[in-house]
């Protein structure tokens, strides 16, 4: 049975465009996570993050609003299908809101990834974007 969850956070004084571009840029993604990432931003392009721990392919984009990716880690069972990660980015009063919808996660791993998004993405992104 696959697991899924949705989490959101607010980034003050930053635009949806800045977050969107940073997510799909190797150098900025590496900078805001503090770990190496290689990203081909095109639809169909492959990506790796966290020094190869995360990898996948970008399936769809809507500039400055939405990114859909096939996503997996080295901890997925070998024959398990990729999960789906939908990143929704919206302009809100005085900043941007990011919502992650992560679905088709292998059974028993959902809570670990929910915590991982908070700890290894949202918290470092807050520091990175607030530093200007």
């Amino acid at each position: 049975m696959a697991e899924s969850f949705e989490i959101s956070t607010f980034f003050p004084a930053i635009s949806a465009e800045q977050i969107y571009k940073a997510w799909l840029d190797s150098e900025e993604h590496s900078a805001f996570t503090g770990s190496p990432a290689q990203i081909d931003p095109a639809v169909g392009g492959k990506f790796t993050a966290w020094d190869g721990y995360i990898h996948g392919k970008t399936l769809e984009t809507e500039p400055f609003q939405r990114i859909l990716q096939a996503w997996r880690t080295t901890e997925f069972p070998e024959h398990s299908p990729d999960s789906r990660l939908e990143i929704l980015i919206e302009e809100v009063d005085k900043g941007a809101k990011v919502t992650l919808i992560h679905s088709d996660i292998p059974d028993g791993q959902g809570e670990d990834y929910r915590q991982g998004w908070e700890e290894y993405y949202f918290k470092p992104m807050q520091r990175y974007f607030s530093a200007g």
Side-chain angles (χ1 to χ4, degrees):
M1 190 79 162
E3 297 183 29
S4 64
F5 60 84
E6 179 176 319
I7 57 173
S8 299
T9 195
F10 171 73
F11 294 94
I14 188 108
S15 71
E17 180 178 354
Q18 289 170 291
I19 292 172
Y20 177 92
K21 286 180 175 180
W23 196 283
L24 293 175
D25 180 84
S26 298
E27 189 175 311
E28 274 205 87
H29 198 107
S30 299
F32 75 61
T33 62
S35 186
Q38 291 295 318
I39 300 163
D40 175 347
V43 171
K46 294 182 179 180
F47 65 87
T48 64
W50 286 96
D51 209 15
Y53 171 72
I54 298 168
H55 58 280
K57 180 168 65 170
T58 299
L59 304 173
E60 299 174 15
T61 60
E62 293 173 35
F64 319 135
Q65 297 176 39
R66 180 177 172 265
I67 302 165
L68 179 65
Q69 297 178 322
W71 189 99
R72 67 186 302 116
T73 71
T74 56
E75 294 179 7
F76 275 38
E78 185 178 340
H79 298 292
S80 176
D82 292 343
S83 67
R84 292 175 72 82
L85 178 65
E86 186 172 20
I87 303 120
L88 302 173
I89 310 161
E90 60 185 301
E91 295 283 338
V92 294
D93 189 35
K94 297 185 172 117
K97 178 182 176 186
V98 175
T99 300
L100 301 181
I101 303 168
H102 199 165
S103 58
D104 300 327
I105 301 165
D107 191 36
Q109 295 184 2
E111 187 55 32
D112 289 342
Y113 292 119
R114 176 193 297 271
Q115 291 175 5
W117 287 116
E118 293 282 352
E119 176 104 10
Y120 300 108
Y121 271 80
F122 286 168
K123 287 180 183 177
M125 287 172 75
Q126 291 287 356
R127 287 191 296 272
Y128 177 78
F129 289 118
S130 68

